[in-house]
Amino acid sequence: ESKADLRAVREELEEKLAALEEEHQNAKTSMQTMSTSITGFVAKLQAKEAEQEQMTRSLKSMRTRNETLQREHQATRERLGLALEDADASLEQRARPRSTTPSQ
């Protein structure tokens, strides 16, 4: 083959190599973009998970507080009921006529 044929083959191979290098660079850029996007998504997901965990802890705390308040409310109602019973008994005792003469 002549030098001109070899030169033509070399130029063709160099063009193909340049095209492959450009394609490789584009793929590399695309992968970096995708990686950045995935990293952002993962960060958002982790933030949502942390927020959900905080909400769960807050909800548990509220439930505990609610249970405590319900127990306190029930105890107050019971004490109020006993106080009312005592007051009723006292009123009944005061309302009874006191006899001055012994019964026969």
Side-chain angles (χ1 to χ4, degrees):
E1 292 187 29
S2 69
K3 285 186 177 184
D5 288 340
L6 288 175
R7 208 173 289 128
V9 168
R10 181 184 174 120
E11 286 175 9
E12 184 181 339
L13 288 174
E14 286 175 349
E15 286 174 10
K16 285 182 180 180
L17 178 61
L20 284 173
E21 286 174 344
E22 184 179 347
E23 193 176 313
H24 173 73
Q25 188 58 45
N26 290 342
K28 194 173 169 182
T29 301
S30 178
M31 285 181 65
Q32 287 172 336
T33 301
M34 209 179 305
S35 176
T36 301
S37 178
I38 289 170
T39 301
F41 176 76
V42 168
K44 284 181 184 177
L45 184 59
Q46 289 171 335
K48 289 286 184 188
E49 287 173 345
E51 182 181 350
Q52 185 176 8
E53 287 173 8
Q54 177 59 38
M55 291 176 126
T56 299
R57 283 192 298 272
S58 180
L59 182 58
K60 284 180 182 177
S61 174
M62 284 186 233
R63 282 184 181 150
T64 301
R65 179 69 179 137
N66 186 41
E67 290 167 1
T68 300
L69 289 172
Q70 286 178 346
R71 284 192 301 272
E72 289 174 358
H73 176 68
Q74 185 60 36
T76 300
R77 287 182 62 158
E78 289 170 6
R79 284 193 307 271
L80 181 59
L82 291 173
L84 287 174
E85 287 175 16
D86 288 347
D88 284 346
S90 177
L91 287 175
E92 283 178 22
Q93 197 173 31
R94 288 181 188 172
R96 283 192 206 126
R98 297 186 182 187
S99 61
T100 54
T101 58
S103 356
Q104 295 180 1

